[in-house]
Amino acid sequence: VMRPPPKSFIVSGAGTTFVNGKYNFTGLKTDDGFFRPLSEISYEMKIPNNVPGKVGGGKTLTLFRCTMRSKQKWWFLSEADEEQPGTDKDIDYYQHKPTTQNKEAKQPPACGWSTSPNKSGEDPPPNLQAIGLVVPNGEEYNSLEHQLAK
């Protein structure tokens, strides 16, 4: 049984402060609210327009995985381009490339992020904390992880 992905991620400690916050699951779900197996998982955070003194108002930031030319899958924290998301029109703030120990992280890794070389993001890169699981409301207690914890 595949573990359902986290329901959201808290991004914290990023030098580009508007990247910090709560990103909610935007991937595919089945009609009954379960995660659709084998689909890509992604998360997003919408920054309100009227945040006082906060740069980044109105932006939608995404946390997603992209297959690179090398066929490796990297994770990105980006502002997706409205017309062509997932292309080089995105503004990438932070990235996470696979290491040898951790060939391909199925979900966004907690640490090991780096600041994007395009200089959009500022050091230090953030850490991520997973929260909850993508399951239908009220089903959290029936998940595999919870049964194992008993």
Side-chain angles (χ1 to χ4, degrees), residues 7-121:
K7 187 179 277 187
S8 48
F9 278 88
I10 301 289
V11 172
S12 62
T16 301
T17 52
F18 63 75
V19 174
N20 296 321
K22 186 178 185 184
Y23 290 69
N24 292 313
F25 182 79
T26 52
L28 295 173
K29 293 183 189 179
T30 58
D31 293 342
D32 50 4
F34 286 97
F35 168 64
R36 195 177 284 281
L38 305 177
S39 61
E40 282 292 331
I41 66 175
S42 57
Y43 297 82
E44 75 175 32
M45 175 178 71
K46 287 184 166 50
I47 305 174
N49 275 316
N50 52 0
V51 187
K54 190 165 185 180
V55 191
K59 292 181 189 295
T60 296
L61 301 183
T62 55
L63 170 57
F64 71 104
R65 189 167 72 161
C66 187
T67 304
M68 309 301 279
R69 288 195 187 93
S70 64
K71 300 284 186 275
Q72 281 189 320
K73 292 181 176 182
W74 293 25
W75 284 96
F76 290 92
L77 272 163
S78 303
E79 182 184 344
D81 184 73
E82 281 179 26
E83 265 94 65
Q84 297 172 285
T87 64
D88 52 16
K89 290 194 163 67
D90 292 352
I91 300 169
D92 298 328
Y93 295 104
Y94 301 98
Q95 62 191 37
H96 190 288
K97 55 184 179 191
T99 57
T100 42
Q101 306 92 355
N102 172 5
K103 287 252 182 330
E104 281 183 359
K106 293 278 188 287
Q107 64 184 49
C111 50
W113 287 78
S114 56
T115 303
S116 184
N118 64 13
K119 306 284 184 277
S120 299

